[in-house]
Amino acid sequence: MKIAGNVALVTGGASGLGLATVRRLHDGGASVVILDLPRSDGTAIAKELGARAAFSAGDVTSPDDVEAALDAAQALADGPPRILVNCAGIGNAARTAGRDGPFPLDAFTRVIQVNLIGTFNAIRLTAVRMSQAPEEEDGERGVIVNTASVAAFDGQIGQAAYSASKGGIVGMTLPIARDLARLKIRVMTIAPGLFQTPLLGGLSEEQIKSIGAQVPHPARLGQPAEYAALAAHIVENPMLNGETIRLDGAIRMAPR
């Protein structure tokens, strides 16, 4: 799938991994729609990028909001989006049975709702739009890239909700890829390790360096641009389908 000349929708595209992906795809010649919360910097980013960019304020768990973002994508290029990158997500930390009682069920449910169900919501609605596109010369209609985490495999204490949500994304990658193969739509997932994103924004430089030192090689935090580079490669490589790629510098997380 060519990046240049196509339209991409990036959820969570106003910060972190999503923002880096928006910039990479836009630099590669794609028109890009950012779907992120109204309080995000999406408007300013779209204005900075110019004519081939748009911001659609919304929540990935809302079918109406995702449909509105898809309408915005269709308006950018008079055709359905061919690229979807799902980066929207949240996290929390709580013990299953802690000093203050059991893990709050509403907090667990919220993480599943945003990370897992929000990802599937974007996939299902975008796939229908992609299926309406004429086939490319190489026989593809679209590419979907999801974001999991190494926590799907190496979940730490307190990460029950986060790991469950990301494990769900890993688990549905292959069946959705098989399901959408008849429509010539590929589905891949990236499982990042420790990356320098706004989630680490409150840490000092010394703390960030200490966390990065846990990574075998390179012994540092990943950069969002490195995630974006892999996402772009997945779009362009037609044999990548139905798999989860760990992007983690060989780290295996300890229990805590």
Side-chain angles (χ1 to χ4, degrees):
M1 177 68 63
K2 295 175 183 175
I3 292 174
N6 277 317
V7 186
L9 172 62
V10 182
T11 72
S15 66
L17 304 179
L19 176 56
T21 302
V22 165
R23 294 191 185 282
R24 177 65 179 248
L25 295 175
H26 191 268
D27 288 347
S31 298
V32 185
V33 172
I34 300 163
L35 173 57
D36 214 319
L37 297 173
R39 64 176 180 269
S40 73
D41 294 330
T43 299
I45 293 163
K47 185 177 179 180
E48 173 202 333
L49 293 175
R52 286 187 292 106
F55 173 57
S56 186
D59 186 324
V60 290
T61 65
S62 164
D64 289 344
D65 289 353
V66 175
E67 291 281 20
L70 291 167
D71 289 341
Q74 200 130 355
L76 269 183
D78 193 27
R82 290 186 178 274
I83 301 165
L84 168 65
V85 184
N86 281 307
C87 291
I90 61 173
N92 63 17
R95 286 182 178 265
T96 307
R99 292 193 181 110
D100 299 325
F103 195 132
L105 192 58
D106 58 344
F108 186 97
T109 302
R110 179 61 181 159
V111 173
I112 299 295
Q113 185 74 21
V114 173
N115 294 1
L116 178 57
I117 297 176
T119 294
F120 183 70
N121 189 40
I123 291 171
R124 72 187 184 96
L125 296 174
T126 305
V128 169
R129 302 285 186 112
M130 288 177 172
S131 72
Q132 298 164 354
E135 290 191 34
E136 291 271 307
E137 289 181 9
D138 58 3
E140 290 194 289
R141 283 196 177 92
V143 182
I144 296 170
V145 181
N146 304 311
T147 306
S149 165
V150 295
F153 312 100
D154 312 331
Q156 296 182 294
I157 291 170
Q159 286 189 320
Y162 188 70
S163 293
S165 70
K166 296 303 187 177
I169 293 172
V170 171
M172 71 183 180
T173 299
L174 180 59
I176 295 176
R178 287 172 163 172
D179 182 14
L180 297 181
R182 63 189 172 84
L183 300 174
K184 307 297 176 60
I185 298 170
R186 291 187 287 116
V187 182
M188 286 287 293
T189 293
I190 300 173
L194 299 173
F195 271 68
Q196 192 151 7
T197 67
L199 290 176
L200 300 180
L203 301 181
S204 68
E205 190 66 36
E206 185 177 339
Q207 288 173 315
I208 289 174
K209 189 176 289 188
S210 174
I211 293 171
Q214 300 174 33
V215 182
H217 179 68
R220 58 168 175 80
L221 296 180
Q223 295 300 313
E226 293 165 331
Y227 171 97
L230 179 55
H233 178 74
I234 289 170
V235 170
E236 294 177 322
N237 189 327
M239 278 303 290
L240 287 174
N241 193 18
E243 186 56 272
T244 297
I245 300 174
R246 288 183 68 132
L247 185 64
D248 61 10
I251 196 169
R252 297 296 181 267
M253 303 298 292
R256 60 169 61 116

